[in-house]
Amino acid sequence: MIDLNEFVLELPDMLSSDVCSELIDTYDAFVSPNIDLISRKGLAQNRKAFVPVDNLANYMSMNAKDSLTDAITRIRCKYTDATKERGLDRDDTLLAAFHNAEPIVDLSCMNPGEKSSYQFYTDTNGSSMIGITFLNECQNEEGFVKLAHGLQIEAKIGKTVFFPSSWMFAFDNTAFKNDHKYIAYILI
């Protein structure tokens, strides 16, 4: 029997707290109903817009851009190593798609106490993997990502959780009770 947790990788400190803060500040400064930035899911009054980082790149420092690029490279290397080490991709089909895909990074924000439900993401580019990077945390509160098969991952600044983008890995991204929750979704 396959243990689905074998396909989930938790990577602490993929982004520094400084870069996470900059991404939050950039999102807050440029994502509002008054500014017409193109978002993937539409710009909502409740601030939960999925805004491609490409649309914010002109407002980000070179350090933040380089840090995101570096994080994606490190995620690919770590996931490849873990997959090979665990014998999970015997014919290299998962890894081939994973290394050939152009990464997409979207920023999003959840309002305090916002209700969510289990979801999974794919896109028309054929992304096979999703990474959820927590840009902030809230002390003494929940804010977990819960995967449908039972794994629960705590939100910590800069941590990325990475797993296949499939209904088998549907997830519920629980909001903080008293603060906004900022996330960078990475589709590869």
Side-chain angles (χ1 to χ4, degrees):
M1 186 168 155
I2 295 174
D3 179 3
L4 293 180
N5 290 338
E6 291 282 327
F7 290 91
V8 179
L9 194 58
E10 286 185 62
L11 303 166
D13 304 319
M14 291 307 290
L15 291 176
S16 71
S17 60
D18 290 344
V19 169
C20 291
S21 292
E22 180 181 337
L23 292 173
I24 290 170
D25 291 346
T26 303
Y27 184 94
D28 281 344
F30 294 99
V31 177
S32 75
N34 304 325
I35 297 174
D36 188 23
L37 282 174
I38 297 170
S39 65
R40 267 186 232 294
K41 301 277 183 186
L43 196 53
Q45 291 287 349
N46 70 358
R47 297 168 38 113
K48 188 171 182 177
F50 291 83
V51 178
V53 166
D54 291 347
N55 294 0
L56 298 172
N58 291 337
Y59 312 107
M60 294 168 39
S61 71
M62 190 56 74
N63 180 48
K65 292 178 206 176
D66 290 346
S67 293
L68 282 170
T69 301
D70 180 58
I72 291 168
T73 300
R74 289 185 293 137
I75 289 167
R76 280 185 161 144
C77 289
K78 289 179 182 287
Y79 201 82
T80 298
D81 291 347
T83 303
K84 286 183 177 182
E85 195 174 281
R86 297 171 185 169
L88 300 174
D89 192 21
R90 292 184 185 96
D91 59 2
D92 289 334
T93 54
L94 175 67
L95 294 177
F98 176 56
H99 284 284
N100 293 328
E102 185 66 31
I104 296 170
V105 181
D106 290 342
L107 299 182
S108 186
C109 175
M110 296 178 74
N111 287 323
E114 184 176 319
K115 300 292 182 206
S116 64
S117 59
Y118 282 96
Q119 57 197 321
F120 68 96
Y121 288 102
T122 58
D123 74 293
T124 56
N125 292 343
S127 296
S128 59
M129 306 297 290
I130 185 168
I132 299 173
T133 301
F134 304 107
L135 302 179
N136 67 331
E137 61 187 66
C138 199
Q139 299 299 322
N140 303 318
E141 285 198 34
E142 289 193 358
F144 297 96
V145 168
K146 298 174 187 174
L147 279 84
H149 65 273
L151 184 62
Q152 184 169 291
I153 299 153
E154 185 178 3
K156 292 287 183 190
I157 293 174
K159 179 197 264 184
T160 298
V161 58
F162 202 70
F163 50 90
S165 181
S166 157
W167 63 269
M168 290 175 35
F169 293 91
F171 62 92
D172 182 5
N173 200 354
T174 307
F176 297 137
K177 292 178 185 171
N178 298 308
D179 200 3
H180 289 92
K181 182 178 184 182
Y182 293 89
I183 306 114
Y185 291 98
I186 303 168
L187 294 168
I188 301 178

